[in-house]
Amino acid sequence: PEPCPAPEPPKTQPGAPPGPTRWGICSAGAISHDFVVALKTLPPSEHTVAAVAARDLRRAKDFAQRFGIPRAYGSYEELAEDPNLDVVYVGVVNPAHLPTGLLFLRRGRAVLMEKPMGLGACEVAQLVGTARERGVFLMEGFWTRFFPAWRRLRSLVTEGSLGSPLVLRGALGFALGGVPRLREPGLGGGVLLDLGGYGLQMALALLG
């Protein structure tokens, strides 16, 4: 088979200032930690973390010191008002995705939202509608969409090399019994929102 396609080079948005994409990080939790670790593997000429915000200023400062981030805020509102950002990564807990996402979108901020984008279709519709109304970028953070193997699979399906896919069967599992949040509906826990979305988004992308 043909080799996996190479990643696309970063595109500069019209009117964007020269230099790297300047990221703001919303929340100083574990998932934001992992995101920044991944972001730091990319060339600093392309991406830089410019600010971080948490509901506790001390946590934000500790996070900033750990990763060499120049600005730390003790509220998400302060991050939303920072004029020196291009995009905000939102890594808050699932039930806070809607209000936090709306906070940044309504201020004209591009948003990369940790999955799931919302707790249901109504929340996602509000986020998407606000992004379209303000003309800003909004994306759900399914990193698997950018794996070379995934890009190759998509191209095989598009070319018709696999025929007409009718069924997708997948399995994904982790030992998460010790994570109380996953068993709390009020915190957006449950199998579908935490892990099931990976298989679901693949089925939607490949089968329509």
Side-chain angles (χ1 to χ4, degrees), residues 7-208:
E8 297 178 6
K11 298 181 177 64
T12 302
Q13 296 296 324
T21 298
R22 301 166 299 177
W23 288 85
I25 306 299
C26 177
S27 95
I31 194 67
S32 293
H33 172 280
D34 293 348
F35 179 79
V36 174
V37 168
L39 200 61
K40 290 283 188 178
T41 67
L42 302 175
S45 59
E46 295 180 5
H47 297 275
T48 185
V49 182
V52 60
R55 290 175 295 179
D56 182 306
L57 180 57
R58 173 48 55 192
R59 292 189 66 208
K61 287 183 175 180
D62 289 345
F63 192 98
Q65 184 176 16
R66 185 181 310 136
F67 290 106
I69 301 171
R71 298 186 298 282
Y73 300 115
S75 73
Y76 302 153
E77 289 77 10
E78 290 177 279
L79 184 67
E81 296 297 335
D82 189 327
N84 299 308
L85 299 176
D86 300 309
V87 58
V88 175
Y89 168 77
V90 177
V92 297
V93 295
N94 293 350
H97 284 191
L98 176 63
T100 310
L102 291 176
L103 168 69
F104 292 109
L105 293 171
R106 286 169 176 165
R107 284 168 173 75
R109 298 296 187 188
V111 169
L112 175 61
M113 179 71 72
E114 180 56 45
K115 61 87 184 165
M117 187 174 288
L119 296 183
C122 290
E123 291 194 2
V124 173
Q126 289 184 65
L127 290 165
V128 171
T130 302
R132 287 175 174 165
E133 177 184 316
R134 296 305 305 269
V136 295
F137 176 88
L138 170 65
M139 179 178 172
E140 189 174 30
F142 271 110
W143 67 327
T144 48
R145 288 282 184 109
F146 298 90
F147 288 179
W150 168 253
R151 293 162 62 88
R152 178 60 181 152
L153 179 58
R154 285 292 303 272
S155 66
L156 288 172
V157 171
T158 301
E159 297 163 3
S161 301
L162 303 182
S164 299
L166 302 176
V167 175
L168 183 145
R169 179 178 297 168
L172 176 65
F174 293 95
L176 298 175
V179 184
R181 176 186 63 80
L182 301 183
R183 298 191 296 274
E184 294 291 339
L187 294 178
V191 173
L192 182 61
L193 293 179
D194 274 282
L195 293 181
Y198 287 107
L200 183 59
Q201 63 91 18
M202 290 184 70
L204 291 172
L206 295 176
L207 305 180

